[in-house]
Amino acid sequence: LHDSESFFDRFFERVKSSEDFSALMRENEELKAQLLSLRKEPVTRDENGSTRISAKIYSTYPFNNRRLLAVNAGAAEGVRSGMPATILGTIFLGQVTEVYEHVSVIRTLFDTEWQVPVKIGDDHTNGLLVGGREPMVTLVARELPLEPGMEIYAASRDFPYGLKIGEATRIRDSAGTNFKEANIRIAFDAGTITDVVILAR
């Protein structure tokens, strides 16, 4: 009888240990899920008197629509229509056009109907960004400097001055005009970006 009691005591101890272990495993998985969720939440921080809202880009796979992007931050996080969207806070991506409670839509420089005033190089030459699958800079006066490798940056009063767009490539004369134009080597890989920083002034 004593052996039987000892056996059942050990058996129930093991069962209890197994239940405790399972409970700990479930709790561990729940905590990991919560941490993963927190890492994907929008983050708002103040830097040098301006507010930056970091957000994740929703996937458009397999359609790969680069013209419009949806992100997981909206009015509740402080996003407003017209705010500039950037990569890392310094590289120009586009502008917020639609805002919902926790989602916003960004119109990017790959939109064929979008145009943005820009400056080029150290001489601050004026130009016009024309969006598209391969964005271009146009309306550059023929007598002004425009060479491959010159930096192109946003100069619209709607955005902080000097957000980088990319570098000039494939310079040519615009047919029948007194202007030059160039393709732009964008300063980021559009196919790999997962995060944006929205600048709230």
Side-chain angles (χ1 to χ4, degrees):
L1 181 64
H2 178 73
D3 289 343
S4 298
E5 288 177 350
S6 179
F7 169 79
F8 283 113
D9 286 343
R10 290 196 303 272
F11 175 77
F12 285 118
E13 281 178 11
R14 287 178 182 171
V15 169
K16 187 173 186 305
S17 295
S18 176
E19 289 174 349
D20 289 345
F21 180 75
S22 295
L24 284 171
M25 289 294 291
R26 283 195 304 273
E27 186 177 352
N28 187 45
E29 290 302 316
E30 289 171 4
L31 287 171
K32 285 198 293 187
Q34 289 174 18
L35 285 172
L36 184 65
S37 176
L38 286 172
R39 286 200 297 268
K40 290 174 170 42
E41 288 294 313
V43 176
T44 302
R45 61 187 186 278
D46 292 322
E47 291 184 11
N48 301 322
S50 64
T51 301
R52 297 182 172 207
I53 304 164
S54 299
K56 297 288 183 183
I57 299 173
Y58 286 107
S59 176
T60 57
Y61 181 83
F63 305 107
N64 196 27
N65 177 18
R66 299 189 301 170
R67 186 178 72 85
L68 297 174
L69 298 176
V71 299
N72 70 333
E77 290 74 36
V79 180
R80 301 289 179 268
S81 181
M83 288 180 174
T86 69
I87 309 298
L88 301 175
T90 57
I91 300 171
F92 183 74
L93 172 64
Q95 186 176 29
V96 175
T97 57
E98 298 176 48
V99 181
Y100 305 94
E101 186 174 4
H102 295 290
V103 175
S104 300
V105 177
I106 296 167
R107 183 186 195 187
T108 75
L109 47 76
F110 301 107
D111 187 333
T112 56
E113 298 181 1
W114 203 28
Q115 299 181 346
V116 178
V118 298
K119 296 282 187 179
I120 305 162
D122 294 336
D123 293 322
H124 312 289
T125 300
N126 288 310
L128 182 70
L129 168 76
V130 177
R133 287 182 62 85
E134 293 188 16
M136 296 172 46
V137 60
T138 64
L139 297 181
V140 180
R142 191 171 290 182
E143 69 274 10
L144 296 178
L146 178 60
E147 299 175 4
M150 281 187 167
E151 286 196 352
I152 299 167
Y153 49 94
S156 168
R157 64 183 180 183
D158 294 332
F159 316 126
Y161 189 86
L163 293 174
K164 183 172 180 177
I165 295 171
E167 298 177 355
T169 65
R170 294 172 50 197
I171 315 299
R172 57 198 174 274
D173 291 336
S174 298
T177 73
N178 290 321
F179 297 104
K180 294 182 290 190
E181 61 187 25
N183 287 81
I184 303 175
R185 183 186 296 114
I186 300 301
F188 58 88
D189 182 349
T192 61
I193 57 171
T194 58
D195 300 75
V196 300
V197 175
I198 298 169
L199 303 181
R201 289 190 282 179

